[in-house]
Amino acid sequence: MLSQGFVSAAAIAASVLFILSLGGLSNQEKAKRAVWYGIVGMAVAVLFTAFGPGIGNYWLMIPMIVIGSVIGWKVAKQVAMTEMPQLVAALHSFVGLAAVFVAWNADLERRRVLAVQAVEGATEQFSAFAALVATKAPDELTFLQLEVVFAIFIGAVTFTGSVIAFGKLAGKVDGKAKQLPGGHMLNAGAAVLSLLLAILYLNGAGFWTLLVLAALAFFIGYHLIMGIGGADMPVVVSMLNSYSGWAAAAIGFTLSNDLLIVTGALVGSSGAILSYIMCKAMNRNFISVILGGFGGAQAGAAAEIEGEQVAIDAAGVAATLNNADSVVIVPGYGMAVAQAQNAVSELVRKLRSAGKEVRFAIHPVAGRLPGHMNVLLAEARVPYDIVMEMDEINDDFPKTDVAIVIGSNDIVNPAAQDDPNSPIAGMPVLEVWKSRVVFVCKRGQGTGYSGIENPLFYKENTRMLYGDARESIDSLLSLID
């Protein structure tokens, strides 16, 4: 059994490693090292917490850790890069549900301690947490109850919200925004009832208040995320990440665990900041995201699209590329689905060997998870210095000979600028249509994940290269001089 001082020192070390991990993730070249900081930090946190003072029941804890680790390892090994967004959403749900269970248990322990203390001469042996509760003053117990309420509410919202986000990302739940009759008034009513239950609980009502509170929060999480369209899931996943962090921090206060407080606060604040940045990138209101009204309502019918999509074959694309001096590639989720990143990397190598300027344009919400495209390109060993963010490259499209769009839709949709009634009106997009020629690699003529038609595909300077993205790029490789 380790001393509390030793455990506290380990908690500080783990916290520093977590901070270094987050800081390193902002730079692609340092990201791998940053991930290892996080892994080591978590290993230190689990190990020293498990063997800290007041911890027991190792006969149950160790098998659970082993079983959970094996399941996590097997799931992570089997999940493709295209499935990472839904895996992240699923993991957020576990954090939320854990917060609910821990909070329920904390209140049951509080009630047991108060019941024992009410019996004169009682000598019952308390658990480590119950012993901590037994030393608290009345005002500290009230604060504990507030922590329990917060953890249950945020944890329950995170759980069901993450489950629905997982379903939408995995295609198991309809990606369209749907709400029950009454819309946001149902969410508001459930929130008001939750507040009333919290007041009743703080004034001595029974454990049933926490059960009903959790049920209402489960509904709010479900209904909030069901009311958000599938195209907005990257922002939703980021916001749910923030919620899971705050739920963990609340449980840290409940358990008097400094490491859990620090870790939860880091996750909560970084998730909120990332969500805010992504909202700005999509011209959305941050508060609207939290309230489940992401995107708002359309002002009217979207504009009709005239013209037709003009197809081209690989030979035609290759001929244009051979005569081009500058090329910009815009990757999207379709590239991830086709696992075309290595073929794209080889195409880039051949084009650069021929003396052409080749760069990538990355939209902040490309893919279905922040940084999704950057990870795929790094995996394919694309040089970091040619991977440009939207703000860095948007002004260069008018000077670009060829823009190649691979599996993207909304992030290159000119309707965001031209059609005020479009669901993505006002969203900053990559202005690829300003290039001399645009080639779009796409499986067919259907709409993208959001279900929105893209006028780009009908423009005079756009040509459609239909087919699987990897096969299409592979067919180009042998035709590039």
Side-chain angles (χ1 to χ4, degrees):
M1 188 73 67
L2 301 174
S3 68
Q4 184 57 50
F6 204 70
V7 172
S8 298
I12 293 173
S15 299
V16 171
L17 287 169
F18 291 147
I19 293 170
L20 290 173
S21 179
L22 279 175
L25 292 175
S26 64
N27 183 292
Q28 291 177 322
E29 296 184 10
K30 299 178 181 178
K32 288 185 178 180
R33 185 192 311 163
V35 170
W36 277 108
Y37 285 148
I39 292 172
V40 173
M42 184 55 67
V44 169
V46 172
L47 180 65
F48 285 89
T49 299
F51 291 97
I55 305 299
N57 294 325
Y58 292 107
W59 62 272
L60 180 62
M61 182 194 306
I62 293 176
M64 290 298 100
I65 291 176
V66 172
I67 292 171
S69 299
V70 171
I71 292 174
W73 179 80
K74 289 185 70 67
V75 169
K77 290 286 288 184
Q78 293 173 359
V79 170
M81 273 302 303
T82 54
E83 299 171 330
M84 285 302 295
Q86 48 261 49
L87 176 62
V88 171
L91 294 176
H92 290 165
S93 73
F94 296 154
V95 176
L97 192 58
V100 174
F101 284 147
V102 171
W104 276 343
N105 183 71
D107 186 69
L108 291 174
E109 287 287 86
R110 179 188 67 86
R111 293 175 186 277
R112 188 167 69 88
V113 169
L114 293 177
V116 170
Q117 290 177 335
V119 178
E120 186 174 351
T123 59
E124 181 175 341
Q125 183 67 37
F126 289 140
S127 66
F129 175 71
L132 177 65
V133 173
T135 64
K136 291 182 179 291
D139 58 335
E140 292 177 315
L141 287 177
T142 299
F143 191 72
L144 172 64
Q145 288 179 279
L146 288 170
E147 295 162 1
V148 165
V149 167
F150 184 79
I152 289 175
F153 185 81
I154 297 297
V157 168
T158 302
F159 173 68
T160 49
S162 297
V163 169
I164 297 302
F166 166 83
K168 290 196 174 191
L169 289 167
K172 300 179 184 298
V173 176
D174 191 342
K176 295 181 180 178
K178 292 183 178 180
Q179 288 186 327
L180 297 173
H184 297 302
M185 291 305 297
L186 285 176
N187 297 333
V192 170
L193 286 175
S194 298
L195 179 60
L196 292 176
L197 285 167
I199 293 173
L200 287 174
Y201 166 69
L202 292 172
N203 282 278
F207 184 74
W208 66 269
T209 54
L210 297 183
L211 295 175
V212 179
L213 174 66
L216 289 169
F218 283 141
F219 168 78
I220 292 173
Y222 157 80
H223 201 232
L224 279 175
I225 308 306
M226 280 298 294
I228 299 174
D232 301 325
M233 282 301 111
V235 180
V236 172
V237 170
S238 178
M239 199 67 236
L240 289 169
N241 176 55
S242 178
Y243 291 167
S244 69
W246 298 126
I251 290 303
F253 280 107
T254 301
L255 300 178
S256 295
N257 186 308
D258 294 337
L259 181 57
L260 200 53
I261 295 171
V262 171
T263 305
L266 284 173
V267 173
S269 57
S270 60
I273 292 170
L274 179 58
S275 299
Y276 178 74
I277 292 172
M278 293 176 70
C279 285
K280 288 187 65 178
M282 297 181 73
N283 194 37
R284 305 302 191 190
N285 185 282
F286 182 68
I287 301 300
S288 184
V289 176
I290 300 174
L291 298 179
F294 191 72
Q298 289 183 228
E304 293 289 335
I305 299 177
E306 298 180 353
E308 61 179 356
Q309 298 183 17
V310 181
I312 193 172
D313 59 14
V317 175
T320 304
L321 286 174
N322 286 329
N323 293 321
D325 293 321
S326 58
V327 179
V328 173
I329 301 174
V330 180
Y333 188 69
M335 185 187 78
V337 171
Q339 298 184 3
Q341 60 269 25
N342 290 309
V344 171
S345 179
E346 178 61 18
L347 175 65
V348 169
R349 188 193 65 77
K350 294 196 70 171
L351 290 172
R352 296 184 78 194
S353 296
K356 304 178 190 303
E357 180 188 32
V358 184
R359 293 175 294 169
F360 285 84
I362 307 297
H363 192 279
V365 293
R368 296 187 184 174
L369 195 70
H372 199 179
M373 295 301 104
N374 301 75
V375 172
L376 285 176
L377 295 177
E379 179 188 35
R381 301 187 181 281
V382 171
Y384 298 130
D385 60 343
I386 66 171
V387 179
M388 319 296 290
E389 299 299 325
M390 178 177 65
D391 292 340
E392 297 176 294
I393 202 168
N394 236 1
D395 291 339
D396 294 347
F397 281 114
K399 299 174 288 185
T400 299
D401 293 325
V402 178
I404 305 177
V405 179
I406 306 176
S408 292
N409 196 322
D410 298 325
I411 62 173
V412 292
N413 193 333
Q417 297 181 359
D418 302 336
D419 183 5
N421 292 329
S422 172
I424 61 171
M427 170 181 159
V429 291
L430 290 162
E431 299 170 349
V432 296
W433 60 89
K434 294 182 178 180
S435 303
R436 185 171 63 85
V437 179
V438 182
F439 294 124
V440 179
C441 293
K442 199 169 182 292
R443 286 184 178 274
Q445 294 189 359
T447 58
Y449 187 61
S450 67
I452 302 171
E453 286 283 358
N454 193 338
L456 169 69
F457 304 156
Y458 300 84
K459 287 186 175 292
E460 293 183 359
N461 64 332
T462 298
R463 296 293 181 267
M464 309 297 294
L465 180 60
Y466 294 118
D468 177 83
R470 183 168 61 180
E471 294 176 0
S472 296
I473 300 301
D474 282 340
S475 64
L476 287 175
L477 292 175
S478 61
L479 301 172
I480 300 298
D481 294 339

